[in-house]
Amino acid sequence: MGFPDGFLWGASTSSYQVEGGNDNSAFVDWERRRRWQPCGTAADSWNRWREDLACLKELGANTYRFSVEWSRVQPTPMEFDESALERYAEMARAFKEAGIRPIICLHHFSEPAWLFERWPRGWMESGPADAFIQFADRVIRACRNDVSDWISFNEPMVWLLNAYALGHFPPGFHKIVTLERTFVQGGLIEHVLRAHREVHRMVHADIKGARVGIAQNVVDLEPARQGAADLEALGRWDHFMHRHMLDLANSAQTLDFIGLNYYTRIYVAKAWIPFFPLGVVPAYAELKQIVGELGMKLLGGRVGNRVRTDMDWEIVPEGLGRVALSLSKRYQLPILVTENGLADTSGNGREAFLKSHLSSLQSAIDDGAHVTGYLHWSLLDNFEWGSYRPRFGLYRVDRTNGFKRTKSSGADYFKKVIKNGAVP
Ligand code: IFM
């Protein structure tokens, strides 16, 4: 059996990670202060988006998900750059004319620097939501003729966690101890959802037959040990990171589909240190890097023994099907895989990764999951928030040689899958 007719096949990128020259983003100063590798020119997609389109055509893709850079469209609080808006509209038109459905994401982590000058507490205040709604309104009006599919926020929980709890993204708050309080009572989730609801309303008011979703990063969760305690911890983490926001958006009837970003699994244990967030130890590779292998063991967090990607994320293909089926059952909404991929410098791992993950997705569909498409992360090698070392691209980008795009072996395999509508 193959994938359903009309299945969406393609890839995803985000503006800050590929465009280059986004000098008004809050990340620019952040990179300097945190001594990150600067993003700079990225893959130069702002100038070379037609080359990206050629890559998508070469793959035989019918869908492309990209994001619009808020700091480019609105470089200062009082100024919208009409030529930038026109460029995005031109891109959407060209993709559509080439038979590639454009899906626009309005918020993919990067925000204008002025946002935090005006509102130093960021989205803990209500001003950023109002400003974002104004920006979204401009983008929707500029692209409404060619874009029916919209994503309001990419991985909102990952973004909020990094920016307002772990201090890893601007504005850089550390509030891990009061995680739940900051997110729920502190207004973060409420403000983001208000902005999402408004995007949903504006898109539907302007575009007939439109669809609006949130792209949620969902991790396959396993309890670290047998028994009720870790299962309960898993449930708390699952609710907080995966379901809380989607439940609220869904009960307000503001979700037409769910975007699923799937990469890996983690083990979850009940924390014995009382102030650990939510009383839970989620064994992310990133946490392991901070506390070390021994630290992780002492905390009770278990790490798995599967082969890992260059991000140190375990490769667990069956998790994709599991997660897609469970989201589909819970929300009774179409699921679009908006991200799935691996960092792979060797260039040898992408084909096997695609094969195993797509087989898992196919099984979920056979078991009744309503999955409408698969978008690989990413079309191109890009800026992985602090570094160019991880290589996520179906196409390699040689930043030292005119940003030349070169097909990876995974790309040839993906092309075959798209052509056959099935996993060879
Ligand atoms: O590169 C990121 C992307 O911006 C959001 N989802 C996960 C990807 C890989 O880390």
Side-chain angles (χ1 to χ4, degrees):
M1 254 174 61
F3 287 88
D5 287 346
F7 202 70
L8 303 181
W9 290 110
S12 296
T13 60
S14 91
S15 53
Y16 194 74
Q17 292 176 273
V18 298
E19 281 180 0
N22 281 313
D23 300 335
N24 295 308
S25 167
F27 271 104
V28 174
D29 185 45
W30 188 253
E31 284 155 14
R32 258 193 305 266
R33 283 173 30 214
R34 305 306 294 268
R35 305 218 169 125
W36 282 11
Q37 185 173 7
C39 176
T41 45
D44 197 28
S45 288
W46 186 243
N47 300 307
R48 293 170 197 272
W49 61 270
R50 285 184 193 282
E51 293 175 35
D52 301 343
L53 170 55
C55 295
L56 288 157
K57 277 165 86 173
E58 184 173 42
L59 290 171
N62 59 18
T63 307
Y64 181 46
R65 170 195 166 206
F66 61 100
S67 76
V68 169
E69 180 63 30
W70 184 0
S71 65
R72 187 188 285 284
V73 165
Q74 195 177 4
T76 68
M78 306 313 290
E79 175 197 0
F80 282 92
D81 183 335
E82 296 299 335
S83 66
L85 280 166
E86 178 41 43
R87 171 85 59 97
Y88 283 116
E90 185 190 355
M91 283 165 63
R93 201 176 315 126
F95 288 120
K96 192 175 162 193
E97 281 169 9
I100 294 168
R101 178 195 296 234
I103 300 182
I104 287 188
C105 177
L106 290 161
H107 187 289
H108 193 124
F109 301 167
S110 171
E111 298 172 318
W114 57 259
L115 198 77
F116 302 111
E117 284 156 23
R118 260 193 141 168
W119 294 288
R121 293 173 63 241
W123 287 73
M124 286 191 270
E125 303 180 57
S126 63
D130 296 323
F132 175 75
I133 291 165
Q134 275 183 25
F135 151 73
D137 174 49
R138 298 298 286 255
V139 180
I140 294 163
R141 280 193 279 135
C143 299
R144 65 183 157 197
N145 291 338
D146 297 299
V147 181
S148 306
D149 301 76
W150 296 80
I151 291 168
S152 56
F153 288 88
N154 177 70
E155 299 182 356
M157 292 304 293
V158 171
W159 156 55
L160 293 176
L161 197 71
N162 276 310
Y164 297 91
L166 301 175
H168 187 57
F169 283 176
F173 284 97
H174 289 95
K175 284 184 181 278
I176 195 78
V177 175
T178 54
L179 190 63
E180 208 165 7
R181 194 154 19 108
T182 310
F183 277 46
V184 181
Q185 292 157 23
L188 283 172
I189 290 183
E190 182 194 322
H191 296 145
V192 171
L193 280 175
R194 177 164 68 82
H196 166 76
R197 282 196 302 273
E198 196 50 23
V199 166
H200 186 269
R201 191 196 62 73
M202 293 188 298
V203 166
H204 281 283
D206 258 10
I207 307 166
K208 226 171 131 226
R211 287 165 293 261
V212 182
I214 289 174
Q216 184 82 314
N217 184 308
V218 182
V219 175
D220 186 36
L221 301 177
E222 296 271 2
R225 290 162 300 228
Q226 302 281 331
D230 287 1
L231 258 187
E232 197 234 341
L234 182 152
R236 294 193 76 183
W237 194 248
D238 193 23
H239 173 75
F240 181 70
M241 283 303 284
H242 301 154
R243 298 200 310 254
H244 182 61
M245 204 177 246
L246 292 182
D247 284 357
L248 291 170
N250 190 38
S251 55
Q253 299 192 318
T254 58
L255 282 181
D256 306 311
F257 69 93
I258 292 173
L260 164 61
N261 295 2
Y262 173 80
Y263 287 92
T264 189
R265 82 166 159 202
I266 56 162
Y267 285 91
V268 181
K270 184 175 161 52
W272 54 268
I273 304 179
F275 58 76
F276 225 72
L278 300 169
V280 160
V281 182
Y284 288 102
E286 291 73 8
L287 182 64
K288 194 181 95 189
Q289 273 159 25
I290 296 168
V291 297
E293 190 105 35
L294 182 64
M296 183 62 97
K297 266 204 191 125
L298 290 174
L299 285 170
R302 177 177 147 204
V303 291
N305 52 13
R306 295 282 186 91
V307 174
R308 290 169 180 271
T309 70
D310 293 350
M311 300 295 283
D312 205 20
W313 298 342
E314 266 193 300
I315 301 183
V316 183
E318 67 275 22
L320 174 58
R322 209 159 27 220
V323 163
L325 189 60
S326 114
L327 285 177
S328 175
K329 278 197 182 147
R330 180 179 179 87
Y331 295 103
Q332 298 289 309
L333 287 169
I335 309 298
L336 171 63
V337 178
T338 36
E339 287 185 26
N340 172 241
L342 81 164
D344 174 31
T345 313
S346 76
N348 301 326
R350 197 166 307 277
E351 178 170 338
F353 185 96
L354 276 161
K355 190 175 177 125
S356 56
H357 284 76
L358 287 169
S359 301
S360 162
L361 195 62
Q362 172 79 72
S363 305
I365 295 171
D366 296 345
D367 290 345
H370 181 189
V371 180
T372 55
Y374 174 90
L375 310 180
H376 194 71
W377 184 272
S378 177
L379 180 64
L380 307 170
D381 284 346
N382 60 46
F383 180 69
E384 178 57 25
W385 310 108
S387 167
Y388 281 102
R389 197 183 47 79
R391 290 179 167 255
F392 276 95
L394 286 162
Y395 284 79
R396 292 271 116 115
V397 176
D398 188 346
R399 301 181 69 245
T400 59
N401 177 22
F403 302 93
K404 200 166 163 354
R405 278 97 167 112
T406 319
K407 220 172 359 138
S408 73
S409 61
D412 275 329
Y413 179 77
F414 195 37
K415 188 175 171 171
K416 239 187 276 167
V417 176
I418 297 176
K419 186 158 180 270
N420 299 338
V423 183

